[in-house]
Amino acid sequence: MLNKSIFATFFGVFLMVGCSAPQKGFEVSSTLSVQDKVVVLSYEQVNDYLPEDIGNKYIEVVNSEGLSLSAQCDDLDKDGRWDELAFLINLEAGVPQTVYFNAVDKSELPDFPKRTNVRFGYVDEPYAEVSGEERLKSTDSPTISGIFQMEGPAWENDLVGFRNYYDARNGIDIFGKATTEMALDSAGIKGQNYHELDDWGMDILKVGNSLGAGAVAIRIGEETFRVGRCEKGTYEFVTEGPVRAILKLNYFGVPVAERTYDVEHVISINAGDHFYKSKVRVNNLQGDEELVTGIVNMEQKEAFEMEEHGMQIVASHGNQAYLGEMLGMGILVPDTDFVETWKAPDEGDGIVETHMVAIDFESDSSAEYYFFGGWEYQDEGFKTMEYFQQQLTAAAAKIAVH
């Protein structure tokens, strides 16, 4: 029987899909050794490997030894049927692996450890999850912290966590983690103070009026405008599980110069990564705009640049965590979309104390980047610049965007 193959090449990492009637195996291969590689397939792609239509069933992923791999089926459009299968696999360079898909009832799926998490809750009992609340227009931290746990939505994996200020500041902060367990459901409630070191970790970043850990702005000409103030802002939980977590932030009526935009910011984090991914889409672009993100520089650390595996990296390293610990932060951008980097003023009314990064929008009005955080209390290797740079290189290889 004729074999079908689908090839996806991501600079050193590529996936090869083969299909034949008897085995119906999906072959995954890499030119690099990669741990916790996330493979994502659509419902339709998976369906091609099964003798019967999936219908309303879910998918168990099994390797050639019969062992189940961590996987999740995600209903991204909330229509009641999952859209994408995501699974984790460890790959040895040059050694292909074949996996198989079994369609099973949801109750028959293996139970895997939860390695990603999204939390947006109220600060008061019964600590319910937030749903339907619009973004606050205030910039007063005490006001926001009196309403929302962690001042807004947070996301984490087994290595690092982040949060978004759900107000006009729209900053992004880092939670350093000293545990692989999911910790943010209980951060900042029932007497827990996430500004103090706990067994699980703590808030490790001072953000101020910077862009913090990868918040978004839009530049037109020489002026850069923070995305935060808007007519209406919303939050949407998308998914979480053993493989990945996704949330969506929307901003309607964002004022930029004499213009107004709607902005969609999709944030995702995968198990085993020191970074999260941002995909930002802006409507009604006129062609002279650039997306801007950045790294807080309140501790006045010099930024450096690297180019690895098709990614342009802007990063800083030093005693810049909350208690003076060593912290490395980096922004990774596909080199074809990278424009430039510069430093914001140290004071003023706009964005300050930030290593700024400008990114070109694609033809579909979207732009992507990744924000990396490495904390010495999570991994002592991050005490050194050499190790931090090695991990940035490894992250670029793993992302392997083209």
Side-chain angles (χ1 to χ4, degrees), residues 81-113:
R81 193 198 77 175
W82 63 268
D83 306 290
E84 290 183 349
L85 167 70
F87 66 90
L88 290 171
I89 190 167
N90 297 330
L91 299 171
E92 183 180 345
V95 180
Q97 295 189 47
T98 302
V99 300
Y100 304 88
F101 306 129
N102 297 326
V104 300
D105 292 332
K106 191 173 184 179
S107 61
E108 299 174 6
L109 288 172
D111 187 18
F112 295 106

Side-chain angles (χ1 to χ4, degrees), residues 21 46 67-68 108 154 163 221 236 259 303 335 372 384 398 400:
V46 176
L67 300 176
S68 294
E108 299 174 6
R163 63 170 170 150
E236 179 185 340
R259 309 172 188 176
D335 56 8
F372 184 108
T384 71
K398 191 172 188 180

Side-chain angles (χ1 to χ4, degrees), residues 147-224:
I147 301 172
F148 300 129
Q149 177 191 355
M150 298 178 288
E151 300 185 61
W155 56 101
E156 66 179 318
N157 63 9
D158 41 351
L159 301 179
V160 64
F162 303 89
R163 63 170 170 150
N164 171 256
Y165 301 133
Y166 199 61
D167 54 51
R169 294 173 298 168
N170 195 34
I172 296 182
D173 205 344
I174 303 177
F175 284 110
K177 294 188 63 174
T179 177
T180 57
E181 299 296 319
M182 299 300 98
L184 297 186
D185 285 359
S186 58
I189 57 175
K190 301 180 181 179
Q192 199 284 326
N193 184 352
Y194 52 74
H195 292 295
E196 297 177 357
L197 185 61
D198 207 333
D199 290 342
W200 64 266
M202 67 179 292
D203 174 3
I204 61 173
L205 201 61
K206 298 176 183 178
V207 173
N209 290 324
S210 73
L211 290 180
V216 293
I218 294 173
R219 181 167 75 163
I220 299 175
E222 297 300 317
E223 289 192 84
T224 302

Side-chain angles (χ1 to χ4, degrees), residues 219 221-222 224 290-294 305 312 314 331 333-335 337-343 355-360:
R219 181 167 75 163
E222 297 300 317
T224 302
E290 294 163 342
L291 182 71
V292 173
T293 186
E305 296 181 56
Q312 188 71 33
V314 178
I331 292 173
V333 180
D335 56 8
D337 301 330
F338 178 83
V339 178
E340 65 173 331
T341 182
W342 72 101
K343 189 177 182 302
H355 296 300
M356 310 280 272
V357 178
I359 307 168
D360 264 339

Side-chain angles (χ1 to χ4, degrees), residues 205 295-297 299-305 313-320 326-331 355 371-374 385 388 392:
L205 201 61
I295 305 170
V296 60
N297 190 34
E299 301 300 327
Q300 299 300 305
K301 304 300 180 186
E302 292 298 319
F304 63 89
E305 296 181 56
I313 304 170
V314 178
S316 66
H317 180 267
N319 298 98
Q320 53 188 346
M326 298 296 283
L327 172 65
M329 296 180 285
I331 292 173
H355 296 300
F371 189 94
F372 184 108
M385 173 72 82
F388 175 51
L392 287 172

